[in-house]
Amino acid sequence: KKVLIVVLGVMVVGLLGVVFTNNGKVDNKANKDIKVNKNINGNELFSKEYESAQVKLDNMSLEEKVGQLFLVRYDKNMALSWINDYYAGGYILFAKDFDNHTKESIKEELSSLNKNSKIPMVFAVDEEGGYVTRVSRYKAFRDEKFPSPRDVYDSLGVEGLESIEKEKGELLLSLGINLNLAPVADVSIDSNDFINIRTFNRDAKETANLIGLMVDYANEVGISSSLKHFPGYGNNVDTHTGVAIDERSYDNFLNNDYLPFEEGIKRKVPSILVSHNIIKCIDSEYPATLSKMIVTGELRNKLNFSGIIITDDLSMGAVSSYVDDNSAAVLAINAGNDLIITSDFVNMYNSVITAVKAGKIKMETIDTAVRRILAWKSFYNM
């Protein structure tokens, strides 16, 4: 009888995938057993585009597929080569990439790259407004840089927020930018928090309401937005320079940090960016970007998100100091991310190719992510 009970217990653990211990923490031993909730597949955000995406996928080589998984830090001198040799799926541009440009010249530069790519490209920026601006800091693009959403809302309310956010989306689209890595959906009401200056400085419920509106504004304009930084930054330190370990309870995430992401998902946000924080109550072993328990278990399954899951830059200090080789991209893909931001493209690209050929990444995993990316690109007319 005791043996039977043990066997049944093991079977139940395997079926559940995500297992909670008595103290509310997730059992890391279930990490490898997590499967994508099949209920999501019948309600994909870009489902109308999946048939045509599959046709494209069927005619792609492994090398072309893997290239689509990367959103690469832009380098004008290497951009064309990375398209021709490694099939880069897209580029993320920073402030320096807009310096000495006009609206016409940057649009022509990006359009030329797109014409050289077999598959339409993603061109992304972090144009949050306020503390983080990449485009509007230059007068060639706007007389004044976009204010932060918090400042707009505090001074002009919802009407002002709608006006500014739609103007922002329209400006980016006019330049050939089709993905804005914003808005910040983190909850913070403490000015001492690293992330606070980039948030609405409101509680979870009010932040969720405002994030829902931000998603609506972007969708109405037709630009792809991205909520960040899942599962919620809280009061953690800057992960550009090192590892941030989050000690908060799981209930805190459920009743606080998750609310803006849940609201954004209801409003059909197309993408969500994952942080590098180690969330001890869910997975004490891996940063969120590399954790299957967080990416697949929480975001894909628990919150039923069917859009594009994006990593924060895998070359940031929180990952590079944690993973000492090129395994970061492999871990990220196996965790369930679709799109990898990187400043170390070629090395990570080659590591994924090698991992697929060695059976360390299933071809099905690659195909699922690439199919979703192709459908997303088509849905947003990229």
Side-chain angles (χ1 to χ4, degrees), residues 141 161 303:
F141 300 100
L161 191 64
L303 299 191

Side-chain angles (χ1 to χ4, degrees), residues 335-356:
N337 293 282
D338 300 301
L339 197 59
I340 294 169
I341 297 179
T342 182
S343 302
D344 188 20
F345 174 42
V346 176
N347 284 332
M348 289 192 178
Y349 172 92
N350 286 330
S351 72
V352 173
I353 293 287
T354 299
V356 174

Side-chain angles (χ1 to χ4, degrees), residues 60 63-74 78-92 113-114 116-123 339-340 342 345-346 349 373 377:
M60 292 171 66
E63 290 73 17
E64 289 172 325
K65 291 175 182 179
V66 171
Q68 287 300 299
L69 302 175
F70 288 93
L71 183 62
V72 184
R73 183 161 185 163
Y74 188 61
M78 298 300 299
L80 186 57
S81 172
W82 285 339
I83 291 171
N84 292 333
D85 298 335
Y86 302 100
Y87 314 100
Y91 292 117
I92 176 171
L113 290 171
N114 209 20
N116 280 279
S117 179
K118 180 179 178 181
I119 297 169
M121 301 197 71
V122 180
F123 293 112
L339 197 59
I340 294 169
T342 182
F345 174 42
V346 176
Y349 172 92
I373 289 168
K377 288 183 172 183

Side-chain angles (χ1 to χ4, degrees), residues 13 41 66 97 126 145 270:
V13 168
N41 298 333
V66 171
D97 301 311
D126 296 278
K145 74 175 185 177

Side-chain angles (χ1 to χ4, degrees), residues 145-164:
K145 74 175 185 177
F146 285 112
S148 71
R150 177 204 297 190
D151 288 344
V152 174
Y153 180 66
D154 287 348
S155 59
L156 301 173
V158 171
E159 290 184 359
L161 191 64
E162 179 177 9
S163 176
I164 289 292

Side-chain angles (χ1 to χ4, degrees), residues 56-333:
K56 293 178 183 177
L57 185 70
D58 290 341
N59 290 283
M60 292 171 66
S61 66
L62 170 62
E63 290 73 17
E64 289 172 325
K65 291 175 182 179
V66 171
Q68 287 300 299
L69 302 175
F70 288 93
L71 183 62
V72 184
R73 183 161 185 163
Y74 188 61
D75 182 334
K76 183 178 181 179
N77 297 321
M78 298 300 299
L80 186 57
S81 172
W82 285 339
I83 291 171
N84 292 333
D85 298 335
Y86 302 100
Y87 314 100
Y91 292 117
I92 176 171
L93 289 82
F94 288 80
K96 68 179 183 62
D97 301 311
F98 296 91
D99 195 12
N100 297 320
H101 266 296
T102 65
K103 291 181 180 179
E104 292 74 22
S105 65
I106 191 66
K107 181 178 180 179
E108 176 57 32
E109 186 173 308
L110 299 183
S111 176
S112 177
L113 290 171
N114 209 20
K115 289 175 182 176
N116 280 279
S117 179
K118 180 179 178 181
I119 297 169
M121 301 197 71
V122 180
F123 293 112
V125 293
D126 296 278
E127 188 69 19
E128 298 172 13
Y131 184 73
V132 178
T133 55
R134 311 301 193 199
V135 180
S136 63
R137 66 172 63 190
Y138 299 110
K139 290 189 179 297
F141 300 100
R142 195 174 189 269
D143 289 340
E144 295 180 350
K145 74 175 185 177
F146 285 112
S148 71
R150 177 204 297 190
D151 288 344
V152 174
Y153 180 66
D154 287 348
S155 59
L156 301 173
V158 171
E159 290 184 359
L161 191 64
E162 179 177 9
S163 176
I164 289 292
E165 287 305 309
K166 287 187 174 180
E167 179 194 347
K168 185 188 295 179
E170 289 167 353
L171 172 62
L172 296 179
L173 286 172
S174 74
L175 305 177
I177 304 295
N178 42 38
L179 170 61
N180 189 15
L181 295 169
V184 173
D186 297 293
V187 177
S188 171
I189 55 174
D190 185 343
S191 60
N192 293 316
D193 294 345
F194 162 76
I195 202 67
N196 178 266
I197 194 172
R198 296 163 63 187
T199 73
F200 276 106
N201 195 39
R202 299 298 201 278
D203 64 23
K205 186 174 181 181
E206 190 171 1
T207 298
N209 290 335
L210 292 168
I211 289 299
L213 293 175
M214 297 277 278
V215 172
D216 285 347
Y217 303 149
N219 284 343
E220 288 168 18
V221 169
I223 190 166
S224 194
S225 58
S226 187
L227 302 187
K228 60 187 185 186
H229 309 78
F230 187 82
Y233 219 95
N235 62 352
N236 290 285
V237 298
D238 182 3
T239 52
H240 287 80
T241 56
V243 177
I245 299 177
D246 197 315
E247 303 276 0
R248 291 176 296 161
S249 71
Y250 187 65
D251 283 344
N252 191 299
F253 284 95
L254 289 180
N255 300 316
N256 191 64
D257 296 74
Y258 278 12
L259 299 188
F261 294 99
E262 288 177 319
E263 186 62 28
I265 291 169
K266 289 179 184 176
R267 304 292 187 99
K268 300 187 184 303
V269 69
S271 70
I272 292 177
L273 185 144
V274 182
S275 80
H276 294 318
N277 296 339
I278 293 178
I279 313 300
K280 286 189 70 174
C281 66
I282 303 175
D283 187 345
S284 60
E285 185 176 358
Y286 290 111
T289 38
L290 309 183
S291 170
K292 190 170 186 178
M293 307 211 39
I294 291 174
V295 175
T296 298
E298 296 294 305
L299 184 51
R300 194 67 84 193
N301 289 352
K302 190 174 187 66
L303 299 191
N304 293 318
F305 180 58
S306 63
I308 304 297
I309 300 179
I310 307 175
T311 72
D312 213 339
D313 191 338
L314 290 190
S315 302
M316 285 165 59
V319 173
S320 60
S321 63
Y322 194 86
V323 180
D324 58 4
D325 54 23
N326 292 324
S327 63
V330 175
L331 288 169
I333 290 170

